[in-house]
Coordinates of all heavy atoms in Angstrom, one line a residue:
M244 N 0.8 -1.1 0.0 CA 0.1 0.0 0.1 C 0.9 1.2 0.0 O 1.9 1.3 0.7 CB -0.9 0.0 1.2 CG -1.9 1.1 1.2 SD -3.1 0.8 2.6 CE -4.2 -0.3 1.9
K245 N 0.5 2.2 -0.8 CA 1.3 3.4 -0.8 C 0.7 4.5 0.1 O -0.5 4.5 0.1 CB 1.4 3.9 -2.3 CG 2.1 3.0 -3.2 CD 2.2 3.4 -4.6 CE 2.9 2.4 -5.4 NZ 3.1 2.7 -6.9
P246 N 1.5 5.4 0.5 CA 1.1 6.5 1.4 C -0.1 7.4 0.7 O -0.9 8.0 1.3 CB 2.2 7.3 1.8 CG 3.5 6.5 1.4 CD 3.0 5.5 0.4
D247 N 0.0 7.5 -0.6 CA -1.0 8.4 -1.3 C -2.2 7.5 -1.8 O -3.0 8.2 -2.6 CB -0.3 9.1 -2.4 CG 0.3 8.2 -3.4 OD1 0.4 7.0 -3.2 OD2 0.8 8.7 -4.6
D248 N -2.3 6.4 -1.5 CA -3.5 5.5 -1.8 C -4.8 6.2 -1.2 O -5.0 6.4 -0.1 CB -3.3 4.1 -1.3 CG -4.3 3.0 -1.9 OD1 -5.4 3.5 -2.2 OD2 -3.9 1.9 -2.0
P249 N -5.7 6.3 -2.3 CA -7.0 7.0 -1.8 C -7.8 6.1 -0.7 O -8.6 6.6 0.0 CB -7.8 7.1 -3.1 CG -7.1 6.5 -4.2 CD -5.6 6.2 -3.6
L250 N -7.5 4.8 -0.8 CA -8.1 3.9 0.2 C -7.8 4.3 1.7 O -8.7 4.3 2.5 CB -7.7 2.5 -0.1 CG -8.4 1.4 0.9 CD1 -9.8 1.4 0.5 CD2 -7.8 0.1 0.4
L251 N -6.6 4.9 1.9 CA -6.2 5.3 3.3 C -7.1 6.4 3.8 O -7.3 6.4 5.0 CB -4.8 5.8 3.3 CG -3.7 4.6 3.2 CD1 -2.3 5.2 3.0 CD2 -3.9 3.8 4.4
R252 N -7.7 7.2 2.9 CA -8.5 8.3 3.4 C -10.0 7.7 4.0 O -10.6 8.4 4.7 CB -8.8 9.3 2.3 CG -7.6 10.1 2.1 CD -7.8 11.1 1.1 NE -7.3 10.5 -0.2 CZ -7.5 11.1 -1.4 NH1 -8.3 12.0 -1.6 NH2 -6.9 10.6 -2.3
I253 N -10.3 6.7 3.5 CA -11.7 6.1 3.9 C -11.5 4.9 5.0 O -12.7 4.6 5.6 CB -12.5 5.6 2.8 CG1 -11.9 4.5 2.0 CG2 -12.8 6.9 1.8 CD1 -12.7 3.8 1.0
L254 N -10.4 4.4 5.2 CA -10.2 3.4 6.2 C -10.3 3.9 7.5 O -9.8 5.0 7.7 CB -8.8 2.5 6.0 CG -8.9 1.8 4.7 CD1 -7.4 1.1 4.7 CD2 -9.8 0.7 4.7
A255 N -11.0 3.1 8.5 CA -11.1 3.7 9.8 C -10.9 2.5 10.9 O -11.0 1.3 10.5 CB -12.5 4.3 10.1
C256 N -10.4 3.0 12.0 CA -10.3 2.0 13.0 C -11.7 1.3 13.4 O -12.5 2.0 13.6 CB -9.7 2.5 14.3 SG -9.6 1.5 15.7
P257 N -11.8 0.0 13.6 CA -13.1 -0.6 13.8 C -13.5 -0.3 15.3 O -14.7 -0.5 15.6 CB -12.8 -2.2 13.7 CG -11.3 -2.3 13.8 CD -10.7 -1.0 13.3
L258 N -12.7 0.1 16.2 CA -13.0 0.4 17.5 C -13.5 1.8 17.8 O -14.6 2.1 18.4 CB -11.8 0.0 18.4 CG -11.4 -1.5 18.4 CD1 -10.2 -1.7 19.3 CD2 -12.6 -2.3 18.8
D259 N -12.6 2.8 17.3 CA -13.1 4.2 17.6 C -13.5 5.0 16.3 O -13.8 6.1 16.4 CB -12.0 5.0 18.4 CG -10.9 5.3 17.4 OD1 -10.7 4.9 16.3 OD2 -9.8 6.1 18.0
K260 N -13.5 4.2 15.2 CA -13.9 4.8 13.9 C -13.1 6.0 13.4 O -13.5 6.8 12.5 CB -15.4 5.2 13.9 CG -16.3 4.3 14.5 CD -16.3 2.9 13.6 CE -17.4 2.0 14.1 NZ -16.9 0.7 14.6
G261 N -12.0 6.2 14.1 CA -11.0 7.3 13.6 C -10.0 6.8 12.5 O -10.0 5.7 12.1
P262 N -9.4 7.8 12.0 CA -8.4 7.5 10.9 C -7.2 6.6 11.4 O -6.9 6.6 12.5 CB -7.7 8.9 10.5 CG -8.0 9.8 11.7 CD -9.3 9.2 12.4
L263 N -6.8 5.8 10.4 CA -5.6 5.1 10.6 C -4.5 5.6 9.8 O -4.6 6.3 8.8 CB -5.9 3.6 10.2 CG -6.9 2.9 11.0 CD1 -7.4 1.6 10.2 CD2 -6.4 2.5 12.3
H264 N -3.2 5.3 10.2 CA -2.0 5.8 9.5 C -1.2 4.6 9.0 O -1.0 3.6 9.7 CB -1.2 6.6 10.5 CG -1.9 7.8 11.1 ND1 -2.1 9.0 10.4 CD2 -2.6 8.0 12.2 CE1 -2.7 9.8 11.2 NE2 -3.1 9.2 12.2
L265 N -0.6 4.7 7.8 CA 0.2 3.6 7.4 C 1.5 3.6 7.9 O 2.1 4.8 8.1 CB 0.3 3.9 5.8 CG 1.1 2.8 5.0 CD1 0.5 1.5 5.1 CD2 1.3 3.3 3.5
V266 N 2.1 2.6 8.4 CA 3.4 2.3 8.9 C 4.1 1.3 8.0 O 3.7 0.3 7.9 CB 3.2 1.8 10.4 CG1 4.7 1.6 10.9 CG2 2.6 2.8 11.2
A267 N 5.2 1.8 7.6 CA 6.0 0.9 6.6 C 7.0 0.3 7.4 O 7.4 0.7 8.6 CB 6.8 1.9 5.4
P268 N 7.7 -0.9 6.9 CA 8.8 -1.5 7.6 C 9.9 -0.5 7.8 O 10.2 0.4 6.9 CB 9.1 -2.6 6.7 CG 7.9 -2.9 5.9 CD 7.2 -1.6 5.7
D269 N 10.7 -0.7 8.8 CA 11.7 0.3 9.3 C 12.9 0.2 8.4 O 13.5 1.3 7.9 CB 12.2 -0.1 10.7 CG 12.9 1.1 11.3 OD1 12.8 2.1 10.8 OD2 13.7 0.8 12.3
A270 N 13.4 -0.9 7.9 CA 14.5 -1.0 7.0 C 14.3 -2.1 6.0 O 13.5 -3.0 6.2 CB 15.7 -1.4 7.9
P271 N 15.1 -2.0 4.9 CA 15.0 -3.1 3.9 C 15.2 -4.5 4.4 O 14.3 -5.4 3.9 CB 16.1 -2.8 2.9 CG 16.5 -1.3 3.1 CD 16.2 -1.0 4.6
A272 N 16.0 -4.8 5.3 CA 16.0 -6.1 6.0 C 14.8 -6.5 6.7 O 14.3 -7.7 6.6 CB 17.3 -6.1 6.8
E273 N 14.2 -5.5 7.3 CA 12.9 -5.8 7.9 C 11.7 -6.0 7.0 O 10.7 -6.6 7.4 CB 12.7 -4.5 8.9 CG 12.3 -5.0 10.3 CD 11.9 -3.7 11.0 OE1 12.8 -3.2 11.7 OE2 10.7 -3.4 11.0
A274 N 11.9 -5.4 5.8 CA 10.8 -5.5 4.8 C 10.4 -6.8 4.5 O 9.2 -7.1 4.2 CB 11.1 -4.6 3.6
E275 N 11.3 -7.8 4.6 CA 10.9 -9.1 4.3 C 10.1 -9.7 5.5 O 9.0 -10.5 5.1 CB 12.1 -10.0 4.0 CG 12.9 -9.6 2.8 CD 14.1 -10.5 2.5 OE1 14.2 -11.5 3.1 OE2 15.0 -10.0 1.8
G276 N 10.5 -9.5 6.6 CA 9.8 -10.1 7.7 C 8.6 -9.4 8.3 O 7.7 -9.9 8.7
A277 N 8.8 -8.1 8.3 CA 7.7 -7.2 8.9 C 7.0 -6.5 7.8 O 7.5 -5.8 7.0 CB 8.4 -6.1 9.8
A278 N 5.7 -6.9 7.8 CA 4.8 -6.4 6.7 C 4.3 -4.9 7.1 O 4.5 -4.5 8.3 CB 3.6 -7.3 6.7
E279 N 3.8 -4.3 6.2 CA 3.1 -2.9 6.5 C 2.0 -3.2 7.5 O 1.5 -4.2 7.6 CB 2.6 -2.3 5.2 CG 3.5 -1.9 4.1 CD 2.9 -1.5 2.9 OE1 2.0 -2.1 2.5 OE2 3.3 -0.3 2.5
A280 N 1.6 -2.1 8.1 CA 0.5 -2.1 9.0 C -0.3 -0.8 9.0 O 0.4 0.3 8.5 CB 1.1 -2.4 10.4
L281 N -1.4 -0.8 9.5 CA -2.1 0.5 9.8 C -2.2 0.7 11.3 O -2.3 -0.2 12.1 CB -3.5 0.4 9.2 CG -3.7 0.3 7.7 CD1 -5.1 -0.1 7.2 CD2 -3.2 1.6 7.0
Y282 N -2.0 1.9 11.6 CA -1.8 2.2 13.2 C -2.8 3.2 13.6 O -3.0 4.3 12.9 CB -0.4 2.7 13.5 CG -0.1 2.8 14.8 CD1 -0.2 1.7 15.8 CD2 0.3 4.0 15.4 CE1 0.1 1.9 17.1 CE2 0.6 4.2 16.7 CZ 0.5 3.0 17.6 OH 0.7 3.2 18.9
N283 N -3.4 3.0 14.7 CA -4.2 3.9 15.5 C -3.5 4.4 16.6 O -3.5 3.8 17.6 CB -5.5 3.3 15.9 CG -6.5 4.3 16.6 OD1 -6.1 5.2 17.1 ND2 -7.7 4.0 16.7
P284 N -2.9 5.6 16.6 CA -2.1 6.2 17.7 C -3.0 6.6 18.8 O -2.5 6.5 20.0 CB -1.4 7.4 17.1 CG -2.2 7.8 16.0 CD -2.9 6.5 15.4
R285 N -4.2 6.7 18.7 CA -5.1 7.2 19.8 C -5.2 6.0 20.8 O -5.2 6.1 22.0 CB -6.4 7.6 19.4 CG -6.3 8.9 18.5 CD -7.6 9.2 17.7 NE -8.1 8.2 16.9 CZ -7.7 7.7 15.7 NH1 -6.6 8.4 15.2 NH2 -8.2 6.7 15.1
L286 N -5.4 4.7 20.2 CA -5.7 3.5 21.1 C -4.4 2.7 21.2 O -4.5 1.6 21.7 CB -6.8 2.7 20.4 CG -8.1 3.5 20.4 CD1 -9.2 2.5 19.7 CD2 -8.6 3.8 21.7
H287 N -3.3 3.0 20.5 CA -2.1 2.3 20.5 C -2.3 0.9 19.9 O -1.9 -0.1 20.5 CB -1.5 2.1 21.8 CG -1.0 3.4 22.5 ND1 0.1 3.5 23.2 CD2 -1.3 4.7 22.3 CE1 0.3 4.7 23.7 NE2 -0.5 5.5 23.1
R288 N -3.1 0.8 18.7 CA -3.4 -0.5 18.2 C -3.0 -0.5 16.7 O -3.0 0.5 16.0 CB -4.9 -0.7 18.2 CG -5.5 -1.1 19.6 CD -6.9 -1.5 19.6 NE -7.1 -2.8 18.9 CZ -7.0 -3.9 19.5 NH1 -6.5 -4.0 20.7 NH2 -7.2 -5.1 18.9
R289 N -2.3 -1.6 16.4 CA -1.7 -1.8 15.0 C -2.5 -3.0 14.4 O -2.9 -4.1 15.0 CB -0.3 -2.2 15.2 CG 0.4 -2.6 13.9 CD 1.8 -3.0 14.0 NE 2.0 -4.0 15.0 CZ 3.1 -4.0 15.8 NH1 4.1 -3.1 15.6 NH2 3.2 -5.0 16.7
Y290 N -2.8 -2.7 13.1 CA -3.7 -3.6 12.2 C -2.7 -4.1 11.1 O -2.2 -3.3 10.4 CB -4.9 -3.1 11.8 CG -5.9 -2.7 12.9 CD1 -5.9 -1.4 13.5 CD2 -6.8 -3.7 13.4 CE1 -6.7 -1.1 14.4 CE2 -7.7 -3.3 14.5 CZ -7.6 -2.0 15.0 OH -8.5 -1.7 16.0
P291 N -2.5 -5.3 11.0 CA -1.6 -5.9 9.9 C -2.3 -5.7 8.5 O -3.5 -5.6 8.3 CB -1.4 -7.3 10.1 CG -2.7 -7.8 10.9 CD -3.1 -6.5 11.6
I292 N -1.4 -5.6 7.5 CA -1.8 -5.5 6.0 C -1.2 -6.9 5.5 O 0.0 -7.1 5.5 CB -1.2 -4.3 5.3 CG1 -1.8 -3.1 5.9 CG2 -1.6 -4.5 3.7 CD1 -1.3 -1.9 5.2
V293 N -2.1 -7.8 5.1 CA -1.6 -9.2 4.6 C -1.9 -9.2 3.2 O -3.0 -9.1 2.7 CB -2.2 -10.3 5.4 CG1 -1.7 -11.7 5.0 CG2 -2.0 -10.2 6.9
D294 N -0.8 -9.5 2.3 CA -1.0 -9.6 0.9 C -1.7 -8.4 0.4 O -2.5 -8.6 -0.6 CB -1.7 -10.9 0.6 CG -0.8 -12.1 0.9 OD1 0.3 -12.0 0.8 OD2 -1.5 -13.2 1.0
G295 N -1.4 -7.1 0.9 CA -2.0 -5.9 0.3 C -3.4 -5.7 0.9 O -4.1 -4.6 0.6
I296 N -4.0 -6.5 1.8 CA -5.3 -6.5 2.3 C -5.3 -6.1 3.7 O -4.8 -6.8 4.7 CB -6.2 -7.7 2.0 CG1 -6.2 -8.0 0.6 CG2 -7.6 -7.5 2.7 CD1 -6.7 -9.4 0.3
P297 N -5.8 -4.9 4.1 CA -5.8 -4.4 5.6 C -6.8 -5.4 6.3 O -7.9 -5.7 5.9 CB -6.4 -3.0 5.6 CG -6.2 -2.5 4.2 CD -6.3 -3.8 3.3
Q298 N -6.3 -5.9 7.5 CA -7.1 -6.7 8.3 C -7.6 -5.9 9.5 O -6.9 -5.7 10.5 CB -6.1 -7.8 9.0 CG -5.3 -8.7 7.9 CD -6.3 -9.4 7.0 OE1 -7.0 -10.2 7.4 NE2 -6.1 -9.2 5.7
L299 N -8.8 -5.5 9.3 CA -9.4 -4.5 10.2 C -10.6 -5.0 11.2 O -11.4 -4.3 11.6 CB -9.9 -3.3 9.4 CG -9.0 -2.5 8.6 CD1 -9.6 -1.4 7.9 CD2 -8.0 -2.0 9.7
L300 N -10.5 -6.3 11.4 CA -11.3 -6.8 12.4 C -10.8 -6.4 13.8 O -9.6 -6.4 14.0 CB -11.5 -8.4 12.3 CG -12.2 -8.9 11.1 CD1 -12.1 -10.3 11.1 CD2 -13.5 -8.4 11.1
P301 N -11.7 -6.1 14.8 CA -11.1 -5.8 16.1 C -10.1 -6.9 16.6 O -9.1 -6.5 17.3 CB -12.4 -5.7 17.0 CG -13.4 -5.3 16.0 CD -13.1 -6.0 14.8
A302 N -10.4 -8.1 16.5 CA -9.5 -9.2 17.0 C -8.2 -9.2 16.2 O -7.2 -9.8 16.7 CB -10.3 -10.4 16.7
S303 N -8.1 -8.6 14.9 CA -6.8 -8.6 14.2 C -5.9 -7.6 14.7 O -4.6 -7.7 14.5 CB -7.1 -8.2 12.7 OG -8.0 -9.3 12.2
G304 N -6.4 -6.6 15.4 CA -5.4 -5.6 15.9 C -4.9 -6.0 17.1 O -5.2 -6.8 18.0
E305 N -3.6 -5.4 17.3 CA -2.8 -5.8 18.6 C -2.5 -4.5 19.3 O -2.0 -3.5 18.7 CB -1.6 -6.6 18.2 CG -0.6 -5.9 17.4 CD 0.7 -6.7 17.2 OE1 0.9 -7.8 17.8 OE2 1.5 -6.4 16.4
Q306 N -2.4 -4.6 20.5 CA -2.0 -3.4 21.4 C -0.5 -3.3 21.4 O 0.1 -4.4 21.5 CB -2.6 -3.8 22.8 CG -2.6 -2.4 23.8 CD -3.7 -1.5 23.3 OE1 -4.7 -2.0 22.9 NE2 -3.5 -0.3 23.6
V307 N 0.0 -2.2 21.3 CA 1.4 -2.0 21.4 C 1.9 -1.3 22.6 O 1.1 -0.6 23.3 CB 1.9 -1.2 20.1 CG1 1.7 -1.9 18.9 CG2 1.5 0.2 20.1
S308 N 3.1 -1.5 23.1 CA 3.7 -1.0 24.2 C 3.9 0.5 23.9 O 4.0 1.0 23.0 CB 5.0 -1.7 24.7 OG 5.9 -1.4 23.7
D309 N 4.2 1.2 25.1 CA 4.5 2.7 24.9 C 5.8 2.9 24.2 O 5.9 3.8 23.5 CB 4.6 3.3 26.3 CG 3.3 3.6 27.1 OD1 2.3 3.4 26.4 OD2 3.4 3.5 28.3
D310 N 6.8 2.0 24.3 CA 8.1 2.1 23.5 C 7.8 1.9 22.1 O 8.3 2.6 21.2 CB 9.1 1.2 24.1 CG 9.6 1.6 25.5 OD1 9.5 2.7 25.8 OD2 10.1 0.6 26.2
E311 N 7.0 0.9 21.8 CA 6.7 0.6 20.4 C 5.8 1.7 19.8 O 6.0 2.0 18.7 CB 6.0 -0.8 20.3 CG 5.9 -1.3 18.9 CD 5.4 -2.8 18.7 OE1 5.1 -3.3 19.8 OE2 5.4 -3.2 17.6
H312 N 5.0 2.2 20.6 CA 4.1 3.4 20.2 C 5.1 4.6 19.6 O 4.8 5.0 18.5 CB 3.2 3.8 21.2 CG 2.5 5.1 21.0 ND1 1.5 5.3 20.1 CD2 2.7 6.4 21.5 CE1 1.2 6.6 20.1 NE2 1.9 7.2 21.0
E313 N 6.0 4.8 20.5 CA 6.9 5.9 19.9 C 7.7 5.6 18.7 O 7.8 6.4 17.8 CB 8.0 6.2 21.2 CG 7.4 6.8 22.3 CD 6.7 8.1 22.1 OE1 7.1 8.9 21.4 OE2 5.6 8.4 22.8
E314 N 8.1 4.4 18.5 CA 8.8 3.9 17.3 C 7.8 4.0 16.1 O 8.1 4.4 15.0 CB 9.4 2.4 17.5 CG 10.0 2.0 16.3 CD 11.4 2.8 15.9 OE1 11.9 3.4 16.9 OE2 11.6 3.0 14.8
L315 N 6.6 3.6 16.3 CA 5.6 3.6 15.2 C 5.3 5.0 14.7 O 5.1 5.3 13.6 CB 4.4 2.9 15.6 CG 4.5 1.3 15.7 CD1 3.3 0.7 16.4 CD2 4.8 0.7 14.3
L316 N 5.2 6.0 15.8 CA 4.9 7.4 15.5 C 6.1 7.9 14.5 O 5.8 8.6 13.6 CB 5.0 8.2 16.7 CG 3.6 8.0 17.6 CD1 3.8 8.8 18.8 CD2 2.3 8.3 16.8
K317 N 7.3 7.4 14.7 CA 8.4 7.9 13.9 C 8.4 7.3 12.4 O 8.8 7.9 11.5 CB 9.8 7.5 14.5 CG 10.1 8.1 15.8 CD 11.4 7.6 16.4 CE 11.6 8.1 17.9 NZ 12.7 7.4 18.5
R318 N 7.7 6.2 12.4 CA 7.7 5.5 11.1 C 6.4 5.7 10.2 O 6.3 5.2 9.1 CB 7.8 3.9 11.3 CG 9.2 3.5 11.7 CD 9.3 2.1 12.1 NE 8.5 1.2 11.4 CZ 8.2 0.0 11.9 NH1 8.6 -0.4 13.0 NH2 7.4 -0.8 11.2
M319 N 5.4 6.6 10.8 CA 4.2 6.8 10.2 C 4.5 7.6 8.9 O 5.2 8.5 9.0 CB 3.2 7.5 11.0 CG 2.6 6.6 12.1 SD 1.2 7.2 13.1 CE 1.3 9.0 12.9
A320 N 3.8 7.2 7.8 CA 3.9 7.9 6.5 C 3.2 9.3 6.7 O 2.3 9.4 7.5 CB 3.2 7.1 5.4
P321 N 3.9 10.3 6.2 CA 3.3 11.7 6.3 C 1.9 11.9 5.7 O 1.4 11.1 4.9 CB 4.2 12.6 5.6 CG 5.2 11.8 4.9 CD 5.0 10.3 5.3

């Protein structure tokens, strides 16, 4: 998924219905193992993107720690 994908403007968190932010893998080496994700910084929840398809069921999201939250904020696409 690209940061300018129009789909990103209409996707919303299934829990608070707010906007989600695209988070790309941190480094090329990580790109193979760590997939892109959509992130809700308000709830500290990350939703995976599998084979280009966002997994937006509430059970698909995972709560992240405060340290990971700070790292994800740095990696969010503008």
